[in-house]
């Protein structure tokens, strides 16, 4: 199985599509879904919390590719920070993390058949960014010791990896059925 679809690297085409009114509206809907989902989380312990906004980011990336995924990650993070009550100050590093995550989701999910392995790869991308970049941003913001932060976040994100991969698989399978029903033209490109 090929991890990235051949269409995922057609950045010029994706930029051109993102300039269309329909794509801008679609990206806006995904950003709105991202913001709405950022209000919801399940807090299991002081350190373990499951969030769902990444599902809207994955949907944007699957529909519009890495370019739309990156745009949705950038705008979604900024808008959700100002729309949702936050526990800390705004830090642009997290916006960069979500832009990169949207880009990686696009590389993995754009015009691709959703399989458990592909969902795990997308979950793994989220895991790596959460363990590395987001830990580094927290270290910069609060001055906490890197090793301590990394250890706690590694344990938390390892648990989240399994849950997020299953959520991605179930959500993206359902989402791809909806998209294929709405837009039969996409059906030919996904086979």
């Amino acid at each position: 199985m090929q991890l990235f679809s051949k269409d995922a690297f057609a950045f010029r085409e994706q930029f051109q599509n993102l300039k269309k009114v329909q794509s801008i509206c679609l990206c806006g809907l995904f950003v709105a879904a991202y913001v709405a989902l950022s209000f919801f989380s399940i807090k299991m312990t002081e350190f373990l919390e499951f969030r769902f906004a990444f599902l809207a980011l994955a949907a944007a990336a699957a529909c519009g590719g890495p370019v739309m995924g990156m745009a949705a990650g950038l705008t979604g993070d900024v808008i959700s920070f100002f729309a949702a009550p936050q526990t800390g100050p705004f830090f642009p590093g997290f916006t960069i993390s979500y832009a990169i995550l949207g880009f990686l989701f696009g590389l993995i999910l754009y015009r691709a058949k959703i399989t458990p392995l592909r969902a795990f790869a997308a979950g793994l991308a989220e895991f790596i960014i959460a363990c590395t970049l987001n830990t580094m941003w927290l270290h910069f913001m609060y001055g906490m010791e890197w090793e301590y932060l990394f250890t706690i976040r590694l344990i938390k994100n390892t648990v989240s990896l399994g849950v997020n991969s299953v959520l991605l698989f179930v959500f993206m399978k359902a989402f791809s059925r909806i998209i294929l029903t709405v837009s039969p033209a996409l059906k030919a490109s996904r086979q």
Side-chain angles (χ1 to χ4, degrees):
M1 180 185 88
Q2 183 178 334
L3 182 59
F4 304 131
S5 74
K6 60 184 176 198
D7 297 327
F9 294 98
F11 301 126
R12 184 173 299 191
E13 176 188 330
Q14 293 170 35
F15 274 115
Q16 293 302 322
N17 284 339
L18 195 56
K19 292 179 182 178
K20 295 177 183 174
V21 174
Q22 181 181 1
S23 294
I24 293 171
C25 292
L26 190 60
C27 187
L29 286 172
F30 289 127
V31 169
Y34 181 95
V35 171
L37 287 172
S38 69
F39 283 97
F40 300 103
S41 65
I42 299 174
K43 191 168 182 108
M44 303 299 277
T45 67
E46 181 183 349
F47 298 108
L48 183 61
E49 180 178 28
F50 295 107
R51 298 179 181 191
F52 305 104
F54 73 98
L55 295 172
L57 193 55
C63 274
V67 172
M68 186 181 286
M70 188 167 50
L74 278 167
T75 54
D77 182 64
V78 172
I79 293 172
S80 68
F81 176 82
F82 292 108
Q86 300 297 320
T87 57
F90 178 76
F91 187 75
F94 293 110
T95 305
I96 293 168
S97 292
Y98 287 110
I100 293 170
L101 182 60
F103 184 83
L104 292 175
F105 277 169
L107 289 177
I108 297 167
L109 301 172
Y110 184 55
R111 294 185 181 170
K113 183 178 180 187
I114 305 303
T115 63
L117 184 59
R118 194 173 299 279
F120 179 76
L124 188 62
E126 196 270 336
F127 169 82
I128 291 169
I129 288 174
C131 285
T132 57
L133 285 177
N134 290 352
T135 302
M136 184 173 65
W137 305 141
L138 290 170
H139 170 71
F140 289 158
M141 285 177 67
Y142 299 113
M144 297 173 74
E145 189 176 327
W146 168 262
E147 292 81 12
Y148 171 75
L149 266 175
F150 182 76
T151 304
I152 288 175
R153 292 184 55 79
L154 182 65
I155 295 166
K156 173 226 179 259
N157 290 315
T158 301
V159 173
S160 295
L161 174 62
V163 173
N164 290 350
S165 296
V166 170
L167 280 172
L168 272 167
F169 178 71
V170 171
F171 174 77
M172 291 307 298
K173 282 298 265 191
F175 181 74
S176 64
R177 286 191 193 119
I178 292 167
I179 290 299
L180 293 178
T181 304
V182 173
S183 178
L186 289 176
K187 185 177 259 185
S189 67
R190 289 192 183 217
Q191 296 181 6

